[in-house]
Amino acid sequence: MKILAVESYGQNAELSLLEAPESFPGRGEVKIQVEAVGLNPVDAYILSGNYALRPELPFVPAFDGAGEIVECGAGVSEFEVGQKVFFLRQTPGAAASRVVLPVDSVALLPEGLSVEEGACLGIPYATAQVALKKVGSWQPTDSVFIHGATGAVGGAAIDWLEYWRDNKNDAHPPIIASAGSKQGLERLLRRPSVSIVDHRDPEHLQQAAQFGNGEGIDLIVEMNAHWYLGKLPGLLAKEGRVVVVGNQGNAVLNARDLMVRHGSICGVFLFMVGAAERKRILSKIASAPAGTWNPEVREAVPFAQAGKAFRGLAAGETHPKWILKP
Ligand SMILES: NC(=O)c1ccc[n+]([C@@H]2O[C@H](COP(=O)([O-])OP(=O)(O)OC[C@H]3O[C@@H](n4cnc5c(N)ncnc54)[C@H](OP(=O)(O)O)[C@@H]3O)[C@@H](O)[C@H]2O)c1
């Protein structure tokens, strides 16, 4: 089988297309013919060599993908050969023509999505779910501010919130969403459920607060905590929560802003989620009705041109998503 191998770290990380021996599914595992691999910002961080996770070279990159089940190991009853699936690996290794994975990391491709779209689901949709529900303790009455809503995790968070909304209740609490890029703003304008602020405007945090119900925001999902964390506690409602998803440096804050509200700041790290919970989240993604999820594909390139996709990713072309094709 074919694998894409990272042979060196750094700005000019070397990628090679290699032949590797076939592996076979053991008990509780399935073998997938990979048809699309989705890239996330973390794949560029790892390739840079400056990230906490630094696999031994050479290694196969990427976590997210989609394809078709070609073999089921002993004890697998929930999948059949021929089914289309998407997957979220716990460790890098998605960029191969075939992968063998435990069933906890695999779920049926949601109705109405292509394999390319399915390959965009894993990290962003699982992270958004964990940020909102498990860590953020989201309640239907909560106002939510997604600070950095035009990227993959932000878009996934909007999809989850719209999915969870009680359709019988018209008086929904606000979903406040921030955009900066022109393309991102265009994406948010297609979302009638959200109130938009422009994060290039220095006043945008105050504007976001005004969209709340006048008593502060219940839940803030933050993609760039290094820039904003110190300012967010002051926007919170009583017992409000800031959930940090993205962070690339230090922040200074006055804890009094938290104390006077019984507010809290929590962090999310998707790879802290155990196998059973990952399975449960992937199954929820799989079983949602057609039209629930809106992943976006930038361009699909063959493994042989993966360098183009990784260079784009490192240069900030993170969303819509680069897809690699075996
Ligand atoms: N903790 C975890 O387990 C976990 C999991 C997945 C991702 N992450 C991290 O979470 C972050 C988001 O991931 P992603 O895949 O959604 O990335 P992405 O697709 O690149 O999205 C980045 C978001 O940040 C926004 N942004 C850029 N500059 C901003 C500014 N000055 N102020 C406010 N927002 C700004 C972008 O908006 P515009 O482009 O419109 O300006 C966009 O909405 C990344 O740092 C990623 O590494 C963490």
Side-chain angles (χ1 to χ4, degrees), residues 12-28:
N12 299 314
E14 201 183 333
L15 296 162
S16 305
L17 203 47
L18 303 177
E19 279 299 319
E22 202 72 38
S23 9
F24 300 95
R27 173 163 286 276

Side-chain angles (χ1 to χ4, degrees), residues 41 45 127 148 150-153 180-181 199 224 227-228 245 268 270 318-319:
Y45 307 156
T127 302
T150 58
V153 179
S181 57
H199 53 234
N224 294 285
W227 288 328
Y228 298 107
V245 172
V268 167
L270 180 61
T318 46
H319 194 70

Side-chain angles (χ1 to χ4, degrees), residues 104 129-130 134 272-282:
D104 306 327
Q129 204 274 359
V130 173
K134 183 183 173 70
M272 285 285 290
V273 167
E277 190 171 2
R278 187 167 63 244
K279 177 69 187 162
R280 194 178 54 76
I281 296 170
L282 296 184

Side-chain angles (χ1 to χ4, degrees), residues 9 41-51 53-55 59 63 92:
Y9 284 113
V42 69
D43 297 310
Y45 307 156
I46 294 173
L47 235 68
S48 77
N50 299 322
Y51 190 62
L53 179 61
R54 202 179 147 93
F59 72 94
F63 296 83

Side-chain angles (χ1 to χ4, degrees), residues 98-168:
R98 284 181 285 285
V99 292
V100 170
L101 290 171
V103 289
D104 306 327
S105 302
V106 182
L108 291 178
L109 192 65
E111 210 186 322
L113 293 191
S114 66
V115 281
E116 289 78 15
E117 290 167 327
C120 302
L121 293 173
I123 286 185
Y125 281 79
T127 302
Q129 204 274 359
V130 173
L132 291 166
K133 270 274 179 83
K134 183 183 173 70
V135 177
S137 306
W138 174 84
Q139 298 296 318
T141 50
D142 282 345
S143 52
V144 183
F145 177 26
I146 302 162
H147 197 199
T150 58
V153 179
I158 298 174
D159 279 349
W160 279 111
L161 290 168
E162 289 180 346
Y163 180 41
W164 291 329
R165 278 187 161 191
D166 174 2
N167 291 326
K168 288 172 273 176

Side-chain angles (χ1 to χ4, degrees), residues 39-42 45 51 123-124 127-128 147-155 178-185 187-188 198-200 204 222-224 226-228 244-248 267-272 316-321:
L39 297 184
N40 291 281
V42 69
Y45 307 156
Y51 190 62
I123 286 185
T127 302
H147 197 199
T150 58
V153 179
S178 87
S181 57
K182 183 168 169 287
Q183 300 84 338
L185 180 62
R187 281 201 288 282
L188 287 191
D198 178 349
H199 53 234
R200 291 167 310 175
H204 75 278
E222 179 53 59
M223 307 303 169
N224 294 285
H226 50 296
W227 288 328
Y228 298 107
V244 175
V245 172
N247 178 58
Q248 292 175 41
V268 167
F269 188 53
L270 180 61
F271 298 108
M272 285 285 290
E317 294 172 354
T318 46
H319 194 70
K321 289 217 168 285

